[in-house]
Each structure stands twice: as structure tokens, then as C-alpha cells.
Amino acid sequence: MARTPLFPAFGNVAAWAHQFSMRTERDYARLYPKSGTVSLSATATNTVIDINVTPQSRIVLQPITSQAAALMATIWVAGKSDGSFTIAGTVSASCVFDYLVLPPPPP
């Protein structure tokens, strides 16, 4: 994405203000925890797509169904990348989890 100039070009203040606010909103959105719900299928791995995930994010899983609660000891977050994470382990059908994406810790 192209950088938004610090000062607007003459005559284009509205477009500059819109670009600046959108960029600021996008940049600061990663500072707050985001949540979602995922229903896992009975496969070895399940990939969850979420634009808030980065390789440095922390993922917290909370079981919603009784089947999911019984499997908490057998699943884990196997990998994280920009925009997705993978849940691996033994999963049966109708396992539903809430997840929380915590932002990376400050440097």
C-alpha cells in the first residue's frame, strides 16, 4: 500500500483526509483483541482465516460445545501467518470454539 503523505496536495484535502483516516484506523485496529467463532471439521487440520492474525499474535481457544470441551487437550494452534492460523489435532464433528486474537506484545 502506498504511503499517505503527511500533508495534503493543494485542492485534494478531502481525499487526503479519507486516506489518512483509513490508514490510521487500519494501523491501530491491530492493537485491540479481536474475537470470532470457528466450527471445526473432522480433519487433521483446520485453517481459520482472520485478517487480524499475524505470526506474532497470540490465539486463545475457548470451547463452546461439550464435544469441543472434551477435545481441548488434543488440539493446538499449529501455525500462524498473516491473515490465518491453523488448528491441528484430533477433532470430531460439531466442535465449536470461540477464539481470541491477542495483538503482538510491544517490542
Side-chain angles (χ1 to χ4, degrees):
M1 175 178 211
R3 292 190 59 133
T4 303
L6 187 57
F7 298 104
F10 291 106
N12 202 6
V13 175
W16 171 85
H18 177 72
Q19 286 180 342
F20 190 80
S21 66
M22 294 300 289
R23 182 183 173 115
T24 304
E25 182 178 320
R26 184 202 67 208
D27 290 347
Y28 285 102
R30 291 190 185 245
L31 297 178
Y32 302 105
K34 304 293 185 203
S35 63
T37 301
V38 59
S39 179
L40 303 180
S41 60
T43 60
T45 61
N46 290 272
T47 301
V48 180
I49 306 297
D50 191 316
I51 63 169
N52 300 300
V53 177
T54 66
Q56 297 81 24
S57 297
R58 304 292 187 255
I59 310 295
V60 179
L61 296 173
Q62 177 67 39
I64 298 301
T65 60
S66 59
Q67 294 89 348
L71 296 175
M72 275 301 291
T74 63
I75 64 164
W76 63 94
V77 176
K80 298 176 283 188
S81 63
D82 285 326
S84 68
F85 64 95
T86 303
I87 299 173
T90 306
V91 177
S92 64
S94 70
C95 287
V96 180
F97 288 88
D98 277 347
Y99 64 89
L100 183 66
V101 178
L102 299 173

